[in-house]
Amino acid sequence: MNNENIRKINMLGKVCRILLIFARIALIVGIVGCIIVTAAFLMVPKSDVVTADGTVSAQIRVDTRQIPSIFSDDLIDIKENDIDFDAFGTSVKWNVEANKKDDEVVYDINGALDIDNSSSIVYGAVGTFAVGAIMCTLMFIIVIFGGKLAKAFETCSSPFEANVLKAMKRFAFSFIPIGVLQLVWNGLANTSTILSVFIILTVIIFSFIFSYGAQLQQESDETL
């Protein structure tokens, strides 16, 4: 293979390896940070830490005669909502009702908040940062194997060498755990899950394509 192409592959491998070192450091910071915050929230008392109550009431009147027709549809397009949530010691009520009279639209807005038990807030924060730590850990695994692949490209004399193919397959399969987590967390119909599965399949397919290319090169060398 042309030495110039090999030098380009080696250079790109070196650049990727250096970038992945910075990514590794950032992920380590993220993992440690998420663990510390999770532990901090676990030490917080689970009740009577956060309490809140209050109401809001408002009325918005829109005189459509004073608004140019080109803007009126957007300005009066306030969606009617009726939310009534009551669980885990938290009660949230929100209601928006629209009344149209001739050239005037009146919106009646009423809301109420009552929190008398902060356990749901604390456990929600714990869950969020715990999942963040898990995601950073899985990304760290991908970065580790990505770094090994970049190192293989940096030092190879051919992209079809056995160590490159081995590193590429390991890099491809390192995406599987995060794909499984996305599937469990978001479900199959979620856009991020579909994108993750697509990326995983693409990387795996490329690894097999390189394996096939290596096989063809070996057969060509044996023929010569």
Side-chain angles (χ1 to χ4, degrees):
M1 186 175 290
N2 190 296
N3 289 336
E4 182 62 27
N5 291 330
I6 291 297
R7 280 195 292 271
K8 290 179 180 178
I9 292 172
N10 295 154
M11 179 59 67
L12 288 173
K14 183 176 183 178
V15 171
C16 288
R17 182 177 62 82
I18 293 172
L19 292 175
L20 288 172
I21 289 174
F22 288 109
R24 192 183 308 178
I25 294 172
L27 287 169
I28 291 174
V29 173
I31 293 170
V32 173
C34 286
I35 291 173
I36 291 174
V37 175
T38 300
F41 272 105
L42 284 173
M43 291 187 290
V44 172
K46 305 305 182 291
S47 62
D48 299 327
V49 177
V50 177
T51 59
D53 63 84
T55 60
V56 60
S57 180
Q59 190 175 77
I60 301 176
R61 295 185 180 87
V62 180
D63 187 350
T64 56
R65 292 173 300 180
Q66 307 297 323
I67 303 174
S69 59
I70 191 173
F71 301 118
S72 61
D73 290 340
D74 294 330
L75 290 175
I76 67 174
D77 188 24
I78 300 177
K79 302 297 183 183
E80 291 188 275
N81 287 291
D82 191 0
I83 299 172
D84 190 352
F85 174 81
D86 190 358
F88 306 109
T90 301
S91 175
V92 179
K93 297 182 186 297
W94 180 261
N95 176 262
V96 179
E97 184 178 347
N99 298 298
K100 297 182 180 179
K101 299 178 181 178
D102 298 328
D103 295 320
E104 185 179 59
V105 182
V106 179
Y107 294 97
D108 292 306
I109 302 173
N110 295 285
L113 172 67
D114 184 13
I115 301 176
D116 58 12
N117 188 338
S118 64
S119 60
S120 59
I121 298 174
V122 173
Y123 284 125
V126 169
T128 299
F129 284 101
V131 170
I134 294 172
M135 290 293 291
C136 286
T137 301
L138 295 179
M139 288 298 298
F140 184 76
I141 293 172
I142 293 174
V143 168
I144 289 292
F145 284 103
K148 292 182 178 180
L149 176 59
K151 180 66 175 178
F153 277 126
E154 182 184 358
T155 58
C156 72
S157 55
S158 168
F160 300 120
E161 288 179 354
N163 63 323
V164 174
L165 299 177
K166 185 177 180 180
M168 182 172 290
K169 287 182 179 179
R170 289 181 175 178
F171 176 64
F173 289 117
S174 69
F175 279 87
I176 293 178
I178 199 168
V180 173
L181 182 62
Q182 286 273 9
L183 182 62
V184 172
W185 189 261
N186 297 319
L188 184 59
N190 188 272
T191 304
S192 61
T193 302
I194 295 174
L195 181 61
S196 297
V197 171
F198 176 75
I199 292 173
I200 292 168
L201 292 177
T202 301
V203 175
I204 291 175
I205 288 171
F206 267 101
S207 71
F208 285 115
I209 290 174
F210 266 76
S211 295
Y212 182 64
Q215 181 181 347
L216 291 179
Q217 186 182 45
Q218 182 179 359
E219 291 175 356
S220 176
D221 292 341
E222 290 175 353
T223 301
L224 295 175

